[in-house]
């Protein structure tokens, strides 16, 4: 089989939090068209050509996974924006399945390529979809026009295909307030979403004096009335603090 020409920009060899109830490895893929203000992986923004170094990196990943077939349960593709390399993910999964047919495969995506996402669904077992804001605020976060429409189109694709997935929102207090998150929850619940997670904002530069104060960050996780309101909308709620 021709080896996948996937461009891996980073690797977490072992994690308990990136695929529900599974021990997994996470591959961070290069390239993303959005410029989210709170992105923790801005070094993965750039789209670049495949090189000999990428081939060596993929060989390293495969060898690592082969050694861990009895340790981990899943491989998660993240980013960057993983669906930008949809074809290469498919070929990568086929390669991995040759020596680890029992592995599950997860995907973290912002939904910016709905059609590419659709091609991946037959190969993916679980998806974490970022819904970053109500549509009216999407551009503030991504710096890309129409980004909210793409994300909600991706959500509708997952719902129509009965995928196992969760929606999650990073609670960045510089652009979102509690009312925004309640609006997101209400919007996605109306569409049929059953699992929703609110994730803590972590400043990309910890020592930046312009970072919001700690209280502004933690407010989404210490307000019991806010939590109760969210649970009344989507009972299967997870607060990742």
């Amino acid at each position: 089989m021709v080896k996948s020409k996937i461009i891996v920009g980073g690797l977490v060899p072992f994690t308990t939090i990136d695929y529900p109830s599974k021990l997994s490895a996470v591959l961070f893929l290069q390239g993303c068209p959005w410029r989210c203000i709170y992105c923790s992986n801005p070094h993965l923004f750039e789209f670049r050509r495949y090189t000999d170094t990428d081939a060596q990196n993929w060989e390293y990943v495969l060898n690592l996974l082969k050694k861990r077939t009895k340790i981990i349960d899943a491989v998660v593709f993240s980013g960057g924006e993983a669906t930008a390399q949809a074809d290469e993910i498919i070929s990568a999964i086929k390669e991995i399945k040759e020596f680890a047919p029992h592995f599950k495969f997860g995907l973290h995506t912002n939904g910016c390529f709905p059609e590419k996402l659709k091609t991946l669904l037959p190969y993916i077992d679980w998806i974490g979809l970022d819904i970053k804001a109500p549509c009216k605020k999407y551009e503030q976060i991504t710096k890309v026009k129409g980004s909210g429409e793409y994300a909600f189109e991706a959500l509708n694709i997952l719902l129509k295909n009965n995928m196992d997935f969760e929606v999650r929102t990073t609670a960045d207090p510089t652009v979102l307030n509690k009312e925004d998150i309640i609006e997101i929850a209400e919007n996605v619940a109306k569409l049929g979403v059953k699992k929703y997670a609110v994730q803590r904002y972590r400043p990309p530069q910890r020592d930046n004096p312009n970072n919001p104060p700690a209280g502004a960050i933690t407010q989404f996780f210490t307000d019991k009335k806010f939590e109760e309101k969210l649970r009344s909308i989507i009972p299967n709620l997870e607060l990742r603090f």
Side-chain angles (χ1 to χ4, degrees):
M1 177 184 291
V2 175
K3 286 191 178 295
S4 173
K5 291 190 175 182
I6 199 165
I7 303 177
V8 178
L11 166 70
V12 173
F14 184 82
T15 170
T16 61
I17 62 174
D18 288 278
Y19 191 118
S21 303
K22 301 289 184 188
L23 303 179
S24 64
V26 183
L27 308 183
F28 295 90
L29 305 191
Q30 189 73 37
C32 183
W34 291 358
R35 296 295 179 264
C36 297
I37 57 176
Y38 53 70
C39 184
S40 58
N41 296 318
H43 61 289
L44 297 178
F45 283 161
E46 179 190 2
F47 288 97
R48 58 174 178 76
R49 291 185 177 182
Y50 179 83
T51 67
D52 289 342
T53 299
D54 294 311
Q56 293 167 12
N57 289 344
W58 181 234
E59 193 68 37
Y60 174 84
V61 170
L62 287 176
N63 287 333
L64 178 76
L65 294 177
K66 286 174 183 176
K67 292 174 183 177
R68 297 194 168 207
T69 55
K70 295 182 179 179
I71 301 173
I72 63 172
D73 310 299
V75 176
V76 178
F77 297 94
S78 189
E81 174 46 42
T83 60
Q85 297 189 52
D87 290 343
E88 298 308 329
I89 289 176
I90 293 170
S91 59
I93 288 174
K94 289 178 179 178
E95 282 188 63
I96 295 168
K97 279 187 173 291
E98 287 187 349
F99 59 83
H102 61 290
F103 275 4
K104 298 291 186 182
F105 293 92
L107 175 71
H108 296 170
T109 179
N110 61 32
C112 67
F113 295 116
E115 292 304 313
K116 289 179 179 288
L117 174 63
K118 200 181 294 185
T119 68
L120 283 167
L121 298 188
Y123 304 91
I124 299 295
D125 301 291
W126 175 85
I127 293 174
L129 173 66
D130 293 335
I131 295 294
K132 298 176 181 294
C135 274
K136 63 181 181 288
K137 284 192 170 182
Y138 241 87
E139 190 176 338
Q140 282 181 255
I141 295 173
T142 67
K143 308 303 180 186
V144 173
K145 274 189 175 180
S147 48
E149 286 80 2
Y150 286 115
F152 276 90
E153 182 181 348
L155 173 56
N156 280 308
I157 287 171
L158 298 186
L159 289 164
K160 288 177 182 176
N161 284 273
N162 296 314
M163 290 297 298
D164 183 13
F165 74 97
E166 72 170 21
V167 165
R168 62 267 192 95
T169 301
T170 297
D172 179 351
T174 66
V175 286
L176 297 178
N177 55 42
K178 293 172 188 174
E179 290 72 25
D180 291 324
I181 292 179
I182 288 170
E183 183 178 345
I184 295 168
E186 290 175 338
N187 288 342
V188 300
K190 286 177 184 175
L191 293 171
V193 169
K194 305 299 183 186
K195 300 175 186 176
Y196 183 50
V198 179
Q199 304 182 144
R200 178 175 178 160
Y201 165 76
R202 300 186 186 279
Q205 299 175 324
R206 294 183 182 179
D207 56 351
N208 189 326
N210 296 319
N211 285 341
I217 294 172
T218 60
Q219 63 175 310
F220 302 97
F221 307 93
T222 57
D223 185 336
K224 291 300 180 185
K225 288 186 177 179
F226 173 64
E227 180 179 345
E228 288 170 6
K229 177 63 175 177
L230 286 178
R231 290 193 187 281
S232 73
I233 300 167
I234 303 181
N236 194 348
L237 170 73
E238 187 173 348
L239 298 179
R240 294 181 182 149
F241 178 55

